[in-house]
Amino acid sequence: METAPWLVVGLGNPGKEYARNRHNVGFMVAELLAARIGAKFSRHRRAVAEVAEGRLGMGGPKLVLAKPLTYMNLSGGPAAALAQFYKIPTEQVIAVHDELDIDYGQLRAKRGGGEGGHNGLRSMSKSLATKDYARVRFGIGRPPGRQDPADYVLSDFSTAERKELEFLVDRAADVVEAIVTRGLEWTQNAYHSA
């Protein structure tokens, strides 16, 4: 019997006006993973999300990549609906999201824990009825000066940040793949020191 697929939920907001925002880095990583597995996103029939499905390598683990279309604060509904539809256990759910409390350029993988004021994670924890899912935390750093964090996450990456963005999104996709194929502990040891 085949094992359940992995659900990778890229957190972000739908619409062109949000596409390059810091808050949409989860969507960026999901899109790169879809390109890597040769899959295209399309609207799911049971969840308010765009979904792409495929395998990591020949005969590798199956991935269900999701971009919820409900806006960040309601991301949990589509995530829970997809986990139920594909019969995916919580241990095989990964959220990819922006993280204010980590410097730009840093990536962290963890399981469970608090949401740190991140409304997308709060919604996922509530809808999944647990916080015990994996997270790939993409550091965006704190806003400069007195800028409101809400405005900061909904602004585009700076010119200086964009120089590294493609590399960092690529690395975040590597982190997701490592969790799926090698496990969380191996991934933390490999990527947290770098």
Side-chain angles (χ1 to χ4, degrees), residues 33 36-37 56 63 172-182 187:
L33 285 164
R36 286 184 179 185
I37 63 174
L56 272 181
L63 294 184
D174 291 345
V175 171
V176 172
E177 289 188 11
I179 293 170
V180 172
T181 59
R182 309 293 288 269
T187 303

Side-chain angles (χ1 to χ4, degrees), residues 57-173:
M58 292 291 288
K62 185 175 179 185
L63 294 184
V64 176
L65 306 168
K67 296 190 300 181
L69 298 176
T70 50
Y71 292 94
M72 181 67 82
N73 296 0
L74 300 172
S75 300
L82 291 168
Q84 185 176 15
F85 180 83
Y86 291 98
K87 298 177 174 52
I88 298 171
T90 306
E91 343 24 292
Q92 289 182 212
V93 174
I94 303 170
V96 184
H97 64 93
D98 59 304
E99 180 59 65
L100 283 165
D101 293 327
I102 300 174
D103 289 340
Y104 181 72
Q106 299 294 307
L107 298 166
R108 294 287 178 266
K110 73 173 196 171
R111 178 173 303 283
E115 290 97 8
H118 197 293
N119 291 330
L121 291 178
R122 187 175 294 132
S123 176
M124 276 191 65
S125 297
K126 183 178 178 188
S127 296
L128 293 169
T130 181
K131 295 180 180 184
D132 198 30
Y133 51 91
R135 297 107 187 264
V136 174
R137 305 161 74 206
F138 189 108
I140 62 168
R142 283 268 167 214
R146 294 177 180 258
Q147 185 178 9
D148 180 4
D151 292 336
Y152 179 69
V153 298
L154 291 175
S155 64
D156 289 355
F157 286 98
S158 71
T159 305
E161 288 169 334
R162 281 197 300 271
K163 290 178 180 158
E164 285 184 276
L165 185 60
E166 191 175 330
F167 167 76
L168 294 170
V169 168
D170 191 65
R171 193 164 169 82

Side-chain angles (χ1 to χ4, degrees), residues 9-28 31 41 43 47-51 66-76 78 120 153-154 156:
V9 183
L11 295 181
N13 288 310
K16 284 190 170 78
E17 67 272 30
Y18 299 107
R20 305 314 297 168
N21 288 180
R22 291 177 175 91
H23 223 19
N24 268 42
V25 77
F27 276 20
M28 295 174 201
E31 288 161 2
F41 279 96
R43 184 69 188 259
V48 186
E50 287 188 345
V51 170
K67 296 190 300 181
L69 298 176
T70 50
Y71 292 94
M72 181 67 82
N73 296 0
L74 300 172
S75 300
V153 298
L154 291 175
D156 289 355

